[in-house]
Amino acid sequence: MRIKLTVSYDGTDFSGWQRQTDKTTVQQTIEDAIFSLTGEKVKVVGSGRTDAGVHALGQVAHFDTKSTIPPSNFAKALNTILPLSVKVLKSEEVAKSFDASRTAKRKTYCYSLYKSDVILPLKERYSVMIKKDTDVKIMKDVAKLFVGEHDFKSFCASGSSVKTTVRTVYSVEIKEEGEDVKVYITGNGFLYNMVRIIVGTLVECGQKRIDEKAIKTMLNEKRRNIGGRTLSAKGLCLVSVEY
Amino acid sequence: MRIKLTVSYDGTDFSGWQRQTDKTTVQQTIEDAIFSLTGEKVKVVGSGRTDAGVHALGQVAHFDTKSTIPPSNFAKALNTILPLSVKVLKSEEVAKSFDASRTAKRKTYCYSLYKSDVILPLKERYSVMIKKDTDVKIMKDVAKLFVGEHDFKSFCASGSSVKTTVRTVYSVEIKEEGEDVKVYITGNGFLYNMVRIIVGTLVECGQKRIDEKAIKTMLNEKRRNIGGRTLSAKGLCLVSVEY
């Protein structure tokens, strides 16, 4: 049977999702836990890779098993083996047609920022400091430009090889609460570093270093070297995946 | 001159506030940073010790210096030397009569809990899981019993030697937001582990393992072995100190 897992992790100490030789990754940690539990060497397929340092509240993955463990019990059983930094929130049986990677329809990421003139040690693990005078209203206005189907080539790390750099962003929502500024982006898929570059560009707008016109140029000219800076992985979190 | 520092730290990797031989503490980290900056071997006096693993948003400390650095510049200058886990939010000159420890009038702590049936990796660093069915309304009701002047002997770690175990708690406020439950306690001073034991007792009430009557007994009988369990240090944060 095929099992769907909803997984949360603190990505700080992981070299990303995807299995690598000699590095600790989330995928390998879960595969090893399944091996401890069932004795099976399975491949756990995630909705997509997350980079080193990126967190997840609701990453989705699937694997096939011949085990007789009731599907909903996998979560609890795996959690007794998994470290504190990775936990399975839910396990359920799905049809063989379900593929965590290929059938994913929408993903939501959240990028966490905090406005301050001093580094705040209790914010540093999961968010990135921006200047206190950053204009979040400007960021909200400019964010609308990214919504819709666009060629996001200017917002993709150079060197990545994908068939097309066209993606649809369904929404960019910015929530400000006290010193916290959270940017939620939902789309049908994201290019390598795309969220981190979009948010980096929004921050530069909020700091009045670039303007709306520059964003339009970036979206039209499709060259990576003209997009904003790539923000640190630690502020990024994969919130949910919809199928 | 005497300098007052307002300090925030992530206590996870520190053996508490107070200088110890062979262990990394917050006090020693700040004293070392001052030595690097001014060449002076000063004693940094905190408002009180925080235990290993306890965090601070606004710990207050003072030290005396002969340096000619303008008082408000100490924060920025020390922050260039201090690690990401400890930062000075503010530095200012105060009168010699100011003593971070002796003249402290009120302290506010926050204990962070989260309601869940599964460990949430992104909550684990700064908060403690409680069962999803914990009744926070009961916790709020019972919290009122702690407000006022009481002998908190039943809520003090055994083995601590203090002149009196009488303290005044000004308020206990519990804020619930989504899965997060935060307990704010303000008082004129706190005994060793007092906040962690009070919150542990509140949680046991919310889980209907003990009731209001039991709390009254604890407050009246004054024996440590009858108080609730001591919760983990990682959920505790010193929010502010007033003078």
Side-chain angles (χ1 to χ4, degrees):
Chain A
M1 65 182 166
R2 181 158 290 186
I3 301 288
K4 175 187 175 188
L5 301 176
T6 306
V7 182
S8 180
Y9 46 88
D10 178 326
T12 312
D13 298 326
F14 287 103
S15 300
W17 168 267
Q18 196 173 43
R19 186 181 269 277
Q20 293 176 51
T21 39
D22 301 337
K23 285 187 179 167
T24 306
T25 68
V26 182
Q27 182 188 31
Q28 164 235 316
T29 303
I30 299 172
E31 288 175 353
D32 291 353
I34 294 170
F35 179 74
S36 295
L37 184 66
T38 71
E40 296 169 301
K41 290 208 167 176
V42 302
K43 191 184 176 195
V44 171
V45 178
S47 72
R49 309 173 190 180
T50 52
D51 290 337
V54 173
H55 316 290
L57 269 172
Q59 166 72 293
V60 173
H62 81 259
F63 68 96
D64 294 323
T65 177
K66 292 193 170 77
S67 160
T68 55
I69 297 171
S72 65
N73 288 10
F74 269 97
K76 207 168 210 174
L78 289 173
N79 285 343
T80 61
I81 302 164
L82 288 165
L84 275 182
S85 51
V86 189
K87 294 292 170 192
V88 178
L89 307 183
K90 196 177 178 188
S91 59
E92 56 200 305
E93 188 176 357
V94 283
K96 282 277 184 182
S97 58
F98 177 90
D99 183 298
S101 168
R102 286 184 206 151
T103 62
K105 287 214 170 67
R106 295 158 71 99
K107 283 184 195 177
T108 298
Y109 279 94
C110 176
Y111 199 95
S112 298
L113 305 160
Y114 69 95
K115 287 169 81 170
S116 177
D117 291 331
V118 188
I119 287 172
L120 299 178
L122 294 170
K123 296 279 179 193
E124 274 294 303
R125 192 171 177 94
Y126 303 118
S127 54
V128 166
M129 184 171 82
I130 55 174
K131 284 182 188 160
K132 215 170 176 174
D133 63 3
T134 306
D135 190 328
V136 177
K137 201 192 160 299
I138 293 180
M139 289 173 65
K140 286 181 182 175
D141 286 344
V142 169
K144 294 170 195 157
L145 298 176
F146 293 99
V147 177
E149 188 183 272
H150 296 285
D151 187 328
F152 284 98
K153 195 164 184 183
S154 301
F155 300 92
C156 168
S158 52
S160 69
S161 57
V162 282
K163 279 183 222 155
T164 168
T165 46
V166 174
R167 295 289 184 279
T168 300
V169 167
Y170 299 116
S171 65
V172 187
E173 272 194 82
I174 303 181
K175 292 182 187 170
E176 194 176 1
E177 200 186 310
E179 63 217 357
D180 295 319
V181 178
K182 292 188 187 289
V183 183
Y184 290 87
I185 305 191
T186 301
N188 65 349
F190 293 92
L191 302 166
Y192 189 53
N193 282 355
M194 181 170 147
V195 177
R196 291 158 62 184
I197 299 169
I198 287 177
V199 179
T201 306
L202 289 176
V203 169
E204 286 179 49
C205 288
Q207 289 168 358
K208 294 166 192 164
R209 276 187 271 136
I210 55 172
D211 61 8
E212 203 174 307
K213 206 182 136 201
I215 311 268
K216 285 180 181 161
T217 307
M218 289 173 197
L219 284 168
N220 289 328
E221 294 203 2
K222 298 156 201 164
R223 288 179 286 119
R224 167 58 191 120
N225 56 338
I226 60 167
R229 70 195 165 109
T230 308
L231 294 181
S232 159
K234 68 178 179 179
L236 187 62
C237 182
L238 173 57
V239 176
S240 59
V241 188
E242 290 168 69
Y243 292 88
Chain B
M1 62 182 168
R2 182 158 290 187
I3 302 287
K4 175 187 175 189
L5 301 176
T6 306
V7 182
S8 179
Y9 45 87
D10 178 326
T12 311
D13 299 325
F14 287 103
S15 298
W17 169 266
Q18 197 171 42
R19 185 181 269 278
Q20 293 177 49
T21 37
D22 301 336
K23 284 186 178 168
T24 305
T25 67
V26 182
Q27 184 188 28
Q28 165 236 314
T29 302
I30 299 172
E31 288 175 353
D32 291 354
I34 294 169
F35 180 73
S36 295
L37 184 66
T38 71
E40 296 169 301
K41 290 207 167 175
V42 302
K43 191 182 177 198
V44 171
V45 178
S47 73
R49 307 174 192 182
T50 51
D51 289 337
V54 173
H55 316 289
L57 268 172
Q59 166 71 296
V60 173
H62 80 259
F63 68 96
D64 294 323
T65 176
K66 292 194 171 78
S67 161
T68 55
I69 296 170
S72 65
N73 289 10
F74 270 97
K76 208 167 210 176
L78 289 173
N79 286 342
T80 62
I81 302 163
L82 289 165
L84 275 182
S85 50
V86 189
K87 293 292 169 192
V88 178
L89 307 184
K90 197 179 177 185
S91 59
E92 57 202 302
E93 187 175 357
V94 283
K96 282 277 184 181
S97 57
F98 177 89
D99 183 301
S101 168
R102 286 184 204 151
T103 61
K105 287 213 169 69
R106 296 158 71 99
K107 283 185 194 177
T108 298
Y109 279 94
C110 175
Y111 199 95
S112 299
L113 306 159
Y114 69 95
K115 288 170 79 170
S116 177
D117 291 332
V118 188
I119 287 172
L120 300 178
L122 294 171
K123 297 278 181 196
E124 275 295 303
R125 191 170 178 96
Y126 303 117
S127 55
V128 165
M129 185 172 82
I130 54 174
K131 284 182 189 162
K132 214 171 177 172
D133 62 4
T134 306
D135 191 327
V136 177
K137 203 194 158 299
I138 293 179
M139 289 173 65
K140 287 180 181 177
D141 285 344
V142 169
K144 294 170 195 156
L145 297 176
F146 292 99
V147 178
E149 187 183 273
H150 296 284
D151 187 330
F152 285 98
K153 195 165 185 180
S154 300
F155 300 91
C156 168
S158 52
S160 68
S161 57
V162 282
K163 277 180 222 157
T164 168
T165 46
V166 174
R167 294 290 184 277
T168 300
V169 167
Y170 299 114
S171 64
V172 186
E173 271 193 83
I174 304 182
K175 291 181 186 171
E176 194 176 2
E177 201 187 311
E179 63 218 355
D180 296 318
V181 179
K182 292 188 188 289
V183 183
Y184 289 88
I185 305 191
T186 301
N188 65 350
F190 293 92
L191 302 166
Y192 190 52
N193 282 356
M194 180 171 147
V195 177
R196 290 158 63 182
I197 299 169
I198 287 179
V199 179
T201 306
L202 290 176
V203 169
E204 285 178 49
C205 289
Q207 290 168 358
K208 294 164 192 163
R209 277 187 270 137
I210 57 173
D211 60 9
E212 201 173 307
K213 206 181 136 202
I215 311 267
K216 286 180 180 161
T217 306
M218 289 173 197
L219 283 169
N220 289 328
E221 295 204 2
K222 301 158 201 163
R223 288 180 286 118
R224 167 60 191 117
N225 55 339
I226 58 168
R229 69 193 164 110
T230 307
L231 294 182
S232 160
K234 69 179 178 177
L236 187 61
C237 181
L238 173 56
V239 175
S240 59
V241 188
E242 289 167 70
Y243 292 87

